[in-house]
Amino acid sequence: MTDQRKATRTVGGIVDFEVVFPSSKVEVAELHAASGVPVADILAITHTEEFPALDEDEAAWELAVAAGRAVLDRTGISPDDIGHVVYAGSGEWDQPFWSPAAKVADELGIRHAHCFEVTNFCNGGMTAVRTALAELALGTARHALVLIGDRLSRLVDHEDPESKALFNFGDAPAAVLLGREDCLLDVLASSMRTDPSWADYYSGDIEDDRVLMRRRGRRQGLGDAYLENFPARVDDVLTALGRQVGDVAYLLINQGDKGMHEKLLAALGIPAEKSVFNYHRYGHMGGSDPLIALGDLIAEGRLAPGDLVLVATSGMGFTWGVTALEYRGR
């Protein structure tokens, strides 16, 4: 390990994490019936006939509670040891003008934490991880709990053919327990950047008491922006760590666009077998996508202690981020 890498190592990392899937699904046949878009065109976006989504009677915060309870029970960490509860996503929570972080804390019996929200869309989860670790480094708390609790499927107008690029948006709330020691994965470094010229590319409309995402205009070049910003962020973290692309065991990414995923790997010179493709199983689960992939790698025994994993996340705005993790093992 080089001195440069020691100097850039974050204090702490991921102690444990859990993803909880909702009870319902969005089916391509339903999307076709509602929008009139041909099934083949929808499958070119979803790559699966169905994917998890919240039922009408389910709330994202409730599933976030289940995820949080799972990691606390599994690790034996007391709610009294949680100093920060951070709820991340798009800002369109289950209720308006409301703190889901505080609600989850109350349900989990966390009584002495600072509870707050981070809005950075599908980059929100990793932004919250970075923010919470900074809080741990500054204070006396030993642990923080990050919840990813978007409700993306509720924000898509499935009757609008112009929204078909968003038809793969589903839901999978998650919890990430962070600590300053005994970590499953150390968080080594991260680099994030927003190109504000894309701020108005998507925005929401309020229709029949729902907030619905709408693309504004026909501006070209977003794909090029992805292929410019993600490799730049990868270069940032590898340079900070004194590492090279060949040292990367896996690169994980939001599962929003399979074609972009493949182009990014090609641009970086990373083979497909050093990533995880879940498009045939799930849609785009927002900020939980890389956690699902990470869980698969661990469950299948495909990670060894010391492996370097890069997590590439993006969010409307548009923001691109890459977070470097080192697997320590359980």
Side-chain angles (χ1 to χ4, degrees):
M1 185 181 303
T2 67
D3 289 341
Q4 181 181 15
R5 188 179 174 194
K6 288 180 181 177
T8 57
R9 185 180 287 278
T10 302
V11 177
I14 298 172
V15 176
D16 199 3
F17 64 94
E18 181 78 11
V19 180
V20 174
F21 293 100
S23 63
S24 186
K25 293 181 181 293
V26 169
E27 298 182 358
V28 167
E30 296 173 348
L31 294 172
H32 165 67
S35 67
V37 176
V39 168
D41 291 353
I42 299 174
L43 286 173
I45 295 166
T46 65
H47 304 282
T48 179
E49 295 279 356
E50 59 181 22
F51 52 87
L54 291 166
D55 185 76
E56 290 184 1
D57 297 325
E58 285 180 313
W61 74 265
E62 294 175 326
L63 299 188
V65 167
R69 183 169 288 116
V71 296
L72 293 181
D73 288 348
R74 192 159 54 230
T75 61
I77 300 297
S78 168
D80 290 338
D81 287 333
I82 304 296
H84 307 277
V85 177
V86 190
Y87 200 98
S90 68
E92 290 298 330
W93 315 127
D94 296 288
Q95 298 182 50
F97 202 72
W98 177 71
S99 174
K103 182 63 175 178
V104 170
D106 186 50
E107 291 291 321
L108 293 177
I110 299 172
R111 303 286 182 240
H112 308 292
H114 174 205
C115 305
F116 60 98
E117 289 72 41
V118 166
T119 299
N120 207 213
F121 302 91
C122 296
N123 192 58
M126 286 298 117
T127 301
V129 165
R130 190 163 84 163
T131 301
L133 285 174
E135 293 281 358
L136 291 182
L138 288 170
T140 58
R142 296 182 60 188
H143 294 94
L145 185 64
V146 166
L147 296 313
I148 301 172
D150 253 326
R151 42 202 291 281
L152 293 181
S153 68
R154 301 273 183 86
L155 306 179
V156 180
D157 185 354
H158 293 152
E159 297 181 356
D160 176 22
E162 293 297 312
S163 296
K164 70 177 182 180
L166 309 177
F167 279 4
N168 62 343
F169 281 25
D171 313 297
V176 182
L177 179 64
L178 302 172
R180 294 191 289 178
E181 55 189 19
D182 297 327
C183 298
L184 175 67
L185 297 126
D186 286 342
V187 178
L188 304 182
S190 71
S191 174
M192 296 183 180
R193 182 241 173 178
T194 300
D195 181 347
S197 69
W198 292 96
D200 296 326
Y201 189 69
Y202 278 103
S203 60
D205 287 336
I206 299 176
E207 300 180 17
D208 298 325
D209 295 325
R210 290 179 62 195
V211 174
L212 298 173
M213 291 181 283
R214 302 290 187 195
R215 186 174 65 178
R216 309 300 181 181
R218 297 290 181 179
R219 179 181 174 184
Q220 302 297 309
L222 184 58
D224 293 335
Y226 267 78
L227 291 177
E228 174 187 348
N229 282 281
F230 266 148
R233 305 289 75 74
V234 169
D235 184 65
D236 286 345
V237 297
L238 291 180
T239 299
L241 296 172
R243 309 292 287 273
Q244 299 179 359
V245 170
D247 297 321
V248 176
Y250 288 95
L251 184 141
L252 310 178
I253 187 172
N254 289 140
Q255 304 272 311
D257 184 330
K258 184 180 180 182
M260 179 54 59
H261 189 163
E262 294 168 338
K263 289 177 182 177
L264 175 61
L265 292 175
L268 292 169
I270 296 176
E273 58 266 25
K274 285 192 172 185
S275 192
V276 175
F277 289 77
N278 273 324
Y279 301 91
H280 64 293
R281 300 167 62 197
Y282 309 111
H284 173 34
M285 303 286 102
S288 295
D289 281 338
L291 294 177
I292 295 169
L294 194 57
D296 290 343
L297 292 176
I298 294 171
E300 295 165 9
R302 295 165 62 189
L303 285 180
D307 276 353
L308 177 63
V309 180
L310 300 186
V311 176
T313 51
S314 61
M316 292 179 187
F318 266 78
T319 295
W320 293 269
V322 171
T323 303
L325 309 175
E326 182 176 318
Y327 182 64
R328 309 303 296 174
R330 295 196 183 276

